[in-house]
Structure formats: C-alpha cells, structure tokens
Amino acid sequence: MDQDWDTLVLLDGCRFDTFRACSWLNGHLSAASSLGSHSTEFIERNFSDGQYHDTVYVSANPHVESLKGSGIFHDIVDVFDWGWDEELRTVPPETMAEATVDAAERYPHKRIISHFMQPHTPFIGETGRRITHAGLTGGNRESPMDDGSDLSLWMRLRYRLSSEDFETIREAYEENLELALPHVQRIQDTVAGKVVVSADHGNMFGERMRPIPAKMWGHPPGLTHPSLVRVPWLTMPHESRRETRADPPREAVAMMENSEMDDRLRALGYK
C-alpha cells in the first residue's frame, strides 16, 4: 500500500515468468516479492493492520470477505457475490473490468484495487474447459467423480490422481492469463491515473521443494519458493493522476451465507 499507484490490478496466482512471456501490455515490468504464497496470507499481511480509507477494493476473490466490516477500506465491492458465473464457476474477467470501471466512476477520489481471479483456476479458455476442476467435469471426462475430481486440480496433481500432462496445464493457465489481458487494458484505457499490474502470489508447476525434493503444484500457504512469491510489477503509461482523499468507511453489507461461500471457494480450488 506504500507503493505509488492509483489503480492496482491484481491477477490472482500469476507467475512472473508467465506474465513476462505472455503479456503484451505496455509499461515498465519488474519483479516484486509477495508477502504470501496464498491469497489469505497476501490479504492478511498487506491490509489487516491498516486503515486505507482512500481505497476501494473491488474483488473477484472471496477471501477479501474476511475484511468486511473491519473499516480497513473505504468500501469493498464484492464482485464474487453478484458477478459470479455459475457455468464458469468463477468471476469472468470482463465482469471484473466492468466492476472496476464502475467503481472508479462511483469513487472518483479513491485509489482502486481490482482483484481479478485469472489466471487462477478454474481455467475458462478452450483448453482449460477440457480439464476437470474441483467438482466439475471437463469435456474429456465421463463422470465428475473419476480420478478424484472432487479435489482441486492442484491437489489431484500432487496426489497423482490427474491424467493431465504438464503442457496441457501450462497452456490452460496461459490461456486464462491471456483472456484477462484485454480487460486489464480496458481499465488502463478508461480509468484515469497510474495503473500498476501485479499479483497476490504465483503458482507452482511441479517444481521440487527443499529440503524434501517433492514436486509441488498450486500455491499452498506458508511456502517461499520463487515461483510463488516472485510476481510481476508492471507500471503502465499514464498522463494524469487521480486526486485521492480519505473518507469514512461505508456501512458493511451483510456477508454471504457460509454454505454459498464454501461452494465458491471449492469451485476456485481453495477447498
């Protein structure tokens, strides 16, 4: 929060190397170190002890709900609630871009955090929709319970329950990132001020841990592997800045029912 930006776009679970290879967004790219390897750690370590009444958090990630009613931000726009796509089992990037633009217009004197779910699972591109995710059956599956599909994709890979090969997983992950990029560009084109693109954490693709040389997939909490904590920091070109100010927090809206929250976290691979 001490860094210089007006709008901070977070791409959930985005590795630095993948972003560098796939992104066509203009700007100055460097690597940054995340404070966590999981969204819960990122949110707690960056925000839980602060007061950022000059900031509105627009989020497709349900974990930010833990901050609801805490008075940390001026407002939290929970897109994961009303912007959820039941077929895709996530918040689409176009919905996030629309919500971010709306928030910037509604709060012209606030910094904006825009937390996309992509490239995090579920994979919603052409390749990704053929892969079985938690509780969902891909196009090449006959039963949702085959090969442990009630587990998250990363858990199935860790326990060798998935038949997906690495190249397919990587292609689906890259597709998810590429699907988000045009909508990040829309934010850059539409919202005044300095836009920075980063991530809450990265993702492991079978890299071996130390000292035990076990292959790890996904983004478990409590780890500091470079693929998890090295994230992009892209400063996009800008000609103007937002004039921001702090105002008292808005009243918190009632939190989502626990059962519905658990279902969405499971669909995103957190359960």
Side-chain angles (χ1 to χ4, degrees), residues 1-73:
M1 293 300 289
D2 293 334
Q3 298 299 314
D4 183 27
W5 48 265
D6 299 318
T7 299
L8 176 64
V9 177
L10 296 172
L11 301 172
D12 204 295
C14 187
R15 295 170 59 113
F16 173 78
D17 56 356
T18 303
F19 186 87
R20 181 174 56 186
C22 295
S23 174
W24 44 261
L25 299 172
N26 290 329
H28 178 264
L29 176 64
S30 60
S33 296
S34 175
L35 295 181
S37 59
H38 192 276
S39 296
T40 53
E41 293 177 339
F42 173 85
I43 290 169
E44 178 182 355
R45 294 172 183 176
N46 279 288
F47 311 124
S48 62
D49 293 331
Q51 284 192 342
Y52 307 108
H53 296 169
D54 63 346
T55 304
V56 172
Y57 201 126
V58 184
S59 185
N61 188 314
H63 284 300
V64 78
E65 188 81 347
S66 64
L67 303 181
K68 252 321 185 35
S70 62
I72 291 175
F73 296 106

Side-chain angles (χ1 to χ4, degrees), residues 158-170:
R158 283 179 221 167
Y159 296 134
R160 301 181 181 180
L161 296 173
S162 175
S163 60
E164 305 295 348
D165 61 85
F166 170 70
E167 290 303 322
T168 301
I169 297 295
R170 184 172 66 177

Side-chain angles (χ1 to χ4, degrees), residues 37 158 203-229:
S37 59
R158 283 179 221 167
N203 200 86
M204 296 192 74
F205 284 155
E207 292 94 343
R208 294 188 183 275
M209 298 295 299
R210 294 179 181 179
I212 301 174
K215 288 186 176 182
M216 184 59 68
W217 297 84
H219 48 90
L223 301 182
T224 57
H225 192 279
S227 63
L228 290 173
V229 297

